[in-house]
Amino acid sequence: MRDLLLHLAIRLGASDPDPNSALTAEFRSGGTEEMLNLTPSIQTEIEANMHNKDLNACLSSLLPRLRMRKLCISLDTDTIQLTCSLLRFDHAETAMRLRSVSDAQNLVDLIDELINNKHSSSCSGYGIETSAVYLALEICARVPVLPRSLFLGWPFGSKDYAVLGGNTELLFQTAFMCKILDSNYILRVSKFAKADFYFVIDNVDESKWSLSQWRKMSMPSSVTRIRVMLDIAKAFRYLHSMGIVPLYDTVNSDYISLDSEFHARIRLLGLTAHYVKVTPIPDFSQKWFSYEANIFYFGCLFYEVCFDSKIDYNDRIANKRDAVASRPSEPEILDDEWQLIQRCCASDPKSRPTMDVIVREMEAWDTLNSGFSSAL
């Protein structure tokens, strides 16, 4: 049933049956005509307190407003505050209280706008944007809906790339996650093509090189190399903290981009850890989708960056430790780096460090205190 709904959600969005609709016209106007929701603020202090304490009351006030709202019209103050109240409740319970696909769709669209138009700054409290992502992922796990903004037009000057069109769930979840996750760590996806399944990468011009291109072009110092790998480790730590398991291809030097300041961002392909745990995945081995497997791939990536080499694809996804067992004499690397690579690629997955441990360990290395040398 879920697979059928997935295909329906994607086809309905991609078909764009009315290209001259007001909704599409609003988007294509590029925001030149400011559109405001003029509904006056009606929340009293008593109502606000009730919405912060009672999930049913909060949903009963918010969902009817969303049913009447058109996409691309600016959010009014009350809607933003009701959303902020909603995000304080347990995300799984909130997702379970949604009684229709349309309500799930409206709430996902709202979260998309809250995150991507930076309305989250209007909410008081720490971690509102992270809470919004958690809620969106909980909704996605129960109801296959995509932010409708994915299907509205094409931004000028963007670059597209194809993504595993054969696996609907992987395509669906990747599109969903790359629309709402933190763009400090991933390359954002902004649109679906109308015909085949292609993604468009936001801010592609900010990514100067892929990691593999950078390594071939440069002779980085140990400090630069470690700082780049630390940035990559932080990106994967973020994904793991959000309950996301990247596909093996993502932990790959061709899927990691560096900007002019050597900040790394991931071109993500992945699934939620919950989905991987409870669902057989056709065409993919279950062992490829795990945090422990990601750690092994990270160790392989670290080895490749250190020694400007390429580990055999099959050896990497099969977690063959022999691929990184030999330490080349050139170039010299720190013992700390070598030992971390070996621990990441340990034969026993349970003995591998977590991404959080990797980040904290690398941050403690003395060499990082010596300054950031130029990589070129």
Side-chain angles (χ1 to χ4, degrees), residues 107-108 114 214 289:
L107 193 50
V108 163
L114 187 77
W214 169 74
F289 281 103

Side-chain angles (χ1 to χ4, degrees), residues 210-352:
S210 69
L211 182 65
S212 59
Q213 290 171 329
W214 169 74
R215 188 60 185 88
K216 290 175 182 176
M217 293 166 52
S218 64
M219 294 288 291
S221 68
S222 61
V223 173
T224 302
R225 181 179 64 241
I226 291 170
R227 284 188 178 273
V228 168
M229 291 307 301
L230 175 58
D231 211 45
I232 294 169
K234 288 179 178 179
F236 284 107
R237 179 180 66 174
Y238 167 73
L239 293 174
H240 287 187
S241 74
M242 300 306 296
I244 294 165
V245 183
L247 181 64
Y248 50 86
D249 277 342
T250 295
V251 198
N252 183 306
S253 58
D254 293 326
Y255 274 69
I256 297 171
S257 296
L258 300 179
D259 62 20
S260 58
E261 297 181 352
F262 308 108
H263 174 62
R265 291 190 296 170
I266 310 300
R267 197 173 85 176
L268 177 64
L269 293 170
L271 296 166
T272 62
H274 175 75
Y275 180 85
V276 171
K277 183 178 180 180
V278 302
T279 310
I281 307 172
D283 304 322
F284 294 102
S285 171
Q286 201 86 2
K287 67 181 180 181
W288 297 346
F289 281 103
S290 70
Y291 296 141
E292 293 81 9
N294 281 178
I295 302 301
F296 185 92
Y297 306 146
F298 177 80
C300 291
L301 182 66
F302 208 152
Y303 185 97
E304 291 176 338
V305 170
C306 284
F307 299 112
D308 192 19
S309 62
K310 197 70 175 177
I311 293 173
D312 180 77
Y313 178 84
N314 292 322
D315 288 346
R316 191 164 62 89
I317 64 172
N319 285 201
K320 290 187 177 180
R321 191 184 182 286
D322 290 347
V324 298
S326 175
R327 181 174 182 173
S329 57
E330 295 291 338
E332 292 186 12
I333 68 169
L334 301 175
D335 288 340
D336 285 335
E337 294 176 272
W338 179 251
Q339 291 166 9
L340 180 59
I341 290 170
Q342 297 306 300
R343 288 166 51 220
C344 287
C345 297
S347 299
D348 180 5
K350 294 182 180 179
S351 66
R352 297 169 192 165

Side-chain angles (χ1 to χ4, degrees), residues 161-167 170-171 174 189 197-199 267-269:
Y161 63 94
V163 179
L164 294 180
N167 188 290
L170 180 62
L171 177 68
T174 296
V189 168
F197 294 133
Y198 288 85
F199 289 158
R267 197 173 85 176
L268 177 64
L269 293 170

